[in-house]
Amino acid sequence: MNKNRNGFQVMLGLIGMIKPLLGVMCIAIIMGCIGNLMAIFITILGGAAIGNLLGEVTSISMKMIFVLLVVFAVLRGVLRYAEQASNHYIAFKLLARIRHQIFASLRKLAPAKLDGKEKGNLISIITSDIELLEVFYAHTISPIAIAAITSLVMVVFIGQFHVGLGVLAAVFYLLVGVVVPVVNSKAGQKHGQKYRSIYGKLNTTVLDNLYGLDEILQYEKQKERQEKMDAFTEHLEQVNATLKKQEAVQRISTDTVILVAGVCMTLYSGLLASNGVIITGNAIICIIAMMSSFGPTAALSALSNNLNQTLASGNRVLNLLAEEPVDRKSTRLNSSHQALSR
C-alpha cells in the first residue's frame, strides 16, 4: 500500500539507513565546516588587511595575513576534496545497499508484484529513483550540518564586535538557509511527486508497447499507443516546466535576501562606527564577513529544487521496502526454494 509521507518523514527514513557509515559522515561534516570557514576567512583577512593599512586593525600583522591567506587557500582545496570524497563514498555505498534491499523486497513480493501492471514503474524505482537518492546522501545531509555549524560560528564571530550585528546575521542566515528552502520545498513537493509518478507510468507504457508489439500491429493500434505516450510525455514536460519556474523563483529570492543582508549590515555597522561604538576597521570586517559567509546556506537553499524529486523518489523506494506480500504462503515457499537452491 502506497503511503504519501511528508518531506520530513521521508528524510528521517532515508537518514535511518546511514547508520553503518555514520563515522564517514562525521568526517565529511568536519572537513566541510573547516573548509568553508577557511574560504570565508580568506576574504575576512582581506578586510583585516584594509583595516591594518588604515591603522585601525593592529591585532594581526600584514605578514601574518599573507601567510594565513596562502595556508587557507591550499587547505581549502584539500578539505573540499576530502569532504566530497567522503560524501560520495557514503552515497555509492548506500545506493548499493539500498539496491540489495530492493531486490530482496521484490523476491519477497514475487510473483504477484512482478505480474502486475506497473512493471515500468518498478523499473523506474530500481533505476532512476535510487539514482536520485545520490543527491540526498552526497549533497544534502552533510551540507545541512555544515551550513548550521558554519552559520553559528559566523554569528559568534560577528557578534563579538557587537551583539546587534550578530543577531542581524543570524536572522538572514535563517532566512536563506531555512525559510526560503522550506517554502520552496513545500511549493514544489506535489509537483515532484507528480513528476516521478508520470515518469513511472511512461516507463510502464513503453514496456507494454514492447511486450504487446505483435498485438498492436495485428489490431492496428499504433496510433492509439503513440497518442498515449505523447500525452504522458507532454504532461511530464509541463510538470518539469513548473519545477524550473520554481527553481528560478528560489534563486531570485535567495539572491535578493543576500543583497538585502549586505545592505542592512553595511547600514547598521556604518551607524555603529559613526557613533563610535565600533571602529571602522571592525565595521569593514563585519560587512565582508556577512557577504562572504552565505556560501553554505545559499547551497542549502538551492538544494530544495532537487529535493522535490529526490524526496518523491525516496517515498517510492520506502513504500516498496515496506510493502507486504499479497500471498504470504507463496512467499514462504519462495524463500524455501531459494534456501534449497543455495
Side-chain angles (χ1 to χ4, degrees):
M1 181 178 180
N2 290 336
K3 179 180 178 182
N4 288 324
R5 303 170 180 84
N6 58 42
F8 184 71
Q9 290 173 328
V10 175
M11 291 180 70
L12 286 180
L14 295 176
I15 290 173
M17 299 180 181
I18 208 170
K19 290 180 181 179
L21 297 169
L22 191 58
V24 182
M25 177 60 71
C26 292
I27 293 174
I29 292 171
I30 293 170
M31 296 298 102
C33 289
I34 298 174
N36 276 286
L37 288 172
M38 285 187 172
I40 293 168
F41 274 90
I42 286 174
T43 54
I44 292 175
L45 287 171
I50 295 173
N52 197 293
L53 292 174
L54 294 175
E56 294 191 355
V57 178
T58 57
S59 58
I60 184 170
S61 65
M62 290 295 289
K63 181 180 179 180
M64 181 59 68
I65 289 174
F66 281 108
V67 170
L68 289 176
L69 283 174
V70 174
V71 172
F72 285 1
V74 173
L75 288 181
R76 166 58 174 162
V78 175
L79 292 170
R80 178 65 173 173
Y81 177 83
E83 176 204 346
Q84 291 299 310
S86 300
N87 280 332
H88 285 85
Y89 174 83
I90 292 168
F92 295 131
K93 282 289 185 180
L94 283 177
L95 293 190
R97 188 166 179 266
I98 291 171
R99 283 195 177 94
H100 281 297
Q101 293 177 347
I102 287 290
F103 283 113
S105 179
L106 288 176
R107 285 194 294 270
K108 180 181 70 173
L109 298 172
K113 185 70 175 178
L114 300 180
D115 286 340
K117 299 179 180 179
E118 296 293 325
K119 294 186 181 70
N121 201 32
L122 283 175
I123 290 175
S124 68
I125 292 174
I126 296 169
T127 55
S128 59
D129 280 349
I130 293 179
E131 285 298 323
L132 274 175
L133 295 184
E134 186 266 342
V135 175
F136 180 78
Y137 289 116
H139 305 290
T140 303
I141 301 177
S142 64
I144 290 175
I146 290 168
I149 296 171
T150 304
S151 298
L152 181 59
V153 171
M154 292 310 300
V155 167
V156 173
F157 175 78
I158 296 173
Q160 70 175 336
F161 298 106
H162 190 273
V163 176
L165 296 176
V167 172
L168 182 66
V171 170
F172 281 103
Y173 289 145
L174 288 172
L175 285 174
V176 175
V178 178
V179 177
V180 172
V182 167
V183 171
N184 185 60
S185 180
K186 286 184 177 180
Q189 184 177 3
K190 291 183 180 179
H191 298 293
Q193 292 175 347
K194 185 183 293 185
Y195 185 92
R196 301 313 305 173
S197 176
I198 298 170
Y199 186 79
K201 290 177 180 178
L202 179 59
N203 283 344
T204 299
T205 302
V206 172
L207 281 179
D208 288 345
N209 290 344
L210 291 174
Y211 283 125
L213 187 58
D214 292 339
E215 288 79 5
I216 291 172
L217 294 175
Q218 180 180 354
Y219 296 104
E220 297 182 350
K221 294 291 184 179
Q222 298 95 317
K223 184 177 180 181
E224 180 181 330
R225 301 302 298 181
Q226 181 66 46
E227 288 176 351
K228 187 174 182 179
M229 288 182 60
D230 290 342
F232 278 130
T233 303
E234 184 179 354
H235 196 182
L236 201 65
E237 290 176 352
Q238 290 174 354
V239 177
N240 187 51
T242 302
L243 290 171
K244 291 297 181 183
K245 288 179 181 178
Q246 289 183 340
E247 181 178 350
V249 171
Q250 176 272 321
R251 289 180 178 177
I252 293 171
S253 302
T254 301
D255 292 343
T256 302
V257 173
I258 293 175
L259 181 62
V260 172
V263 172
C264 291
M265 180 61 73
T266 302
L267 293 175
Y268 192 14
S269 58
L271 179 63
L272 293 174
S274 63
N275 292 332
V277 179
I278 60 174
I279 61 175
T280 304
N282 288 343
I284 293 172
I285 289 176
C286 288
I287 296 169
I288 293 175
M290 183 72 174
M291 294 304 296
S292 64
S293 59
F294 277 107
T297 50
L300 194 61
S301 180
L303 277 175
S304 60
N305 299 311
N306 293 326
L307 279 181
N308 289 329
Q309 289 192 49
T310 301
L311 294 181
S313 296
N315 186 56
R316 283 151 57 87
V317 169
L318 292 174
N319 279 337
L320 183 56
L321 291 174
E323 189 169 343
E324 293 294 332
V326 176
D327 188 350
R328 295 182 180 274
K329 182 177 179 181
S330 64
T331 302
R332 290 194 297 269
L333 290 173
N334 191 21
S335 300
S336 300
H337 286 311
Q338 289 177 2
L340 289 173
S341 63
R342 289 197 293 268

